Amino acid sequence: MTTAEDIFFMERALALAVRGTGRVNPNPLVGAVVVRDGTVIGEGWHAQFGGPHAERNALAECAGGAKGATLYVTLEPCCHYGKTPPCTEAVLEHQIARVVVGSADPNPLVAGAGIRRLREAGVAVTEGVLREKCDALNRIFFHYIRTKTPYVTMKYAMTMDGKTATRTGQSRWITGAPARIRVHEDRSRHMAIMTGAGTIQADDPLLNCRIPGGRTPIRLICDTGLRTAAGARVVETAREIPTWFLTCCRDASRQEKYAEKGCRILQVPERDGHVDIKKAVERLGEEGIDSIYLEGGSALNASALEADIVQALHCYIAPKMFGGTESRGPVGGKGVAFPAQAWGFVITDVCRCGDDILIESIREGCE
């Protein structure tokens, strides 16, 4: 039975879990709290990929021991050896009496076995406390562990009349500073950021994370024929920030001019004269990339939707209008023929970012 105390301490565990954002990929975000007689005696979170898990960090804080205490954890404790020993064994060693779990772990190496191990050893286990919140925290991990492909979040900023650039191609800046800060926070949350050669040519972006304590993701450039200028900022800074080109170009001499500046070249199949984005994303999953923040132009956005690789959408709307039939919108391509064929999304949040509005949504059917 779930109590008000269970909800209170699971909320605390959730708040701790987010502290690992951007640093644990492709592992999940996890927070843990150890409580005895209504008092917190230890808390922790998974802070770094390859480092101790949340449960072990929380138990390590229990100076007087944790015998008979309750452990609140946002994700089912692991029961297998990986980069760290099983957390279930740490729970048993510290003689925890009860474990309260938020989400079940879909990892085939766990998938209920962690809870089963605890119960077989006599530990009382309560499951599903604040499950929806705990599941939402790890949408990226759940998608990646189930599909072995990255969780793709498409982001764009547009005016109230649906324009992402003026008729002259200018787009800086549509949104204000608070929205741009939020974008950098989301860059830090994802393992990689993707754009197309057209965006590099038009804007010469650095595609880094410019907030204190943030983590710059791997930069992915979709460039079918390797036409990005060798002097582009993403190329010139490739030795400082990992930069990968996804290309169909087989010309070794052409590839070399990027490789010698520190870029990595990933050869991917072609589809309709462009990078096959679906195959490219599958390849990136094999490379261990669990999440992509897609900041592309209208052509790349259209390709991503048509390939059915987009799981989430971040749409920024600025209180201004560009007008004009020649002004670009966020999604190009042919588009659908009938309203019933539209790509459907479920809105999960709407918030203000200064004067702008951010609408967050996930694809219909995405867990």
PDB file of all heavy atoms in Angstrom, residues 60 251 282 367:
ATOM      1  N   ALA A  60      25.983   4.578   1.038  1.00  0.00           N
ATOM      2  CA  ALA A  60      27.297   5.006   1.526  1.00  0.00           C
ATOM      3  C   ALA A  60      27.186   6.189   2.478  1.00  0.00           C
ATOM      4  O   ALA A  60      28.091   6.440   3.287  1.00  0.00           O
ATOM      5  CB  ALA A  60      28.198   5.367   0.352  1.00  0.00           C
ATOM      6  N   ASP A 251      34.319   9.123 -51.763  1.00  0.00           N
ATOM      7  CA  ASP A 251      35.589   9.691 -52.233  1.00  0.00           C
ATOM      8  C   ASP A 251      36.554   9.820 -51.048  1.00  0.00           C
ATOM      9  O   ASP A 251      36.388  10.683 -50.178  1.00  0.00           O
ATOM     10  CB  ASP A 251      35.325  11.061 -52.857  1.00  0.00           C
ATOM     11  CG  ASP A 251      36.561  11.661 -53.527  1.00  0.00           C
ATOM     12  OD1 ASP A 251      37.678  11.374 -53.062  1.00  0.00           O
ATOM     13  OD2 ASP A 251      36.382  12.419 -54.491  1.00  0.00           O
ATOM     14  N   GLU A 282      19.968   4.027 -37.131  1.00  0.00           N
ATOM     15  CA  GLU A 282      20.248   2.658 -36.690  1.00  0.00           C
ATOM     16  C   GLU A 282      21.749   2.468 -36.468  1.00  0.00           C
ATOM     17  O   GLU A 282      22.164   1.831 -35.476  1.00  0.00           O
ATOM     18  CB  GLU A 282      19.734   1.667 -37.732  1.00  0.00           C
ATOM     19  CG  GLU A 282      18.214   1.596 -37.800  1.00  0.00           C
ATOM     20  CD  GLU A 282      17.712   0.751 -38.964  1.00  0.00           C
ATOM     21  OE1 GLU A 282      18.565   0.249 -39.739  1.00  0.00           O
ATOM     22  OE2 GLU A 282      16.483   0.593 -39.099  1.00  0.00           O
ATOM     23  N   GLU A 367       6.108   5.370 -25.670  1.00  0.00           N
ATOM     24  CA  GLU A 367       5.971   5.162 -24.227  1.00  0.00           C
ATOM     25  C   GLU A 367       6.881   6.118 -23.481  1.00  0.00           C
ATOM     26  O   GLU A 367       7.896   6.541 -23.998  1.00  0.00           O
ATOM     27  CB  GLU A 367       6.338   3.715 -23.887  1.00  0.00           C
ATOM     28  CG  GLU A 367       5.386   2.709 -24.537  1.00  0.00           C
ATOM     29  CD  GLU A 367       5.750   1.281 -24.209  1.00  0.00           C
ATOM     30  OE1 GLU A 367       6.731   1.066 -23.468  1.00  0.00           O
ATOM     31  OE2 GLU A 367       5.066   0.372 -24.686  1.00  0.00           O
TER      32      GLU A 367
END
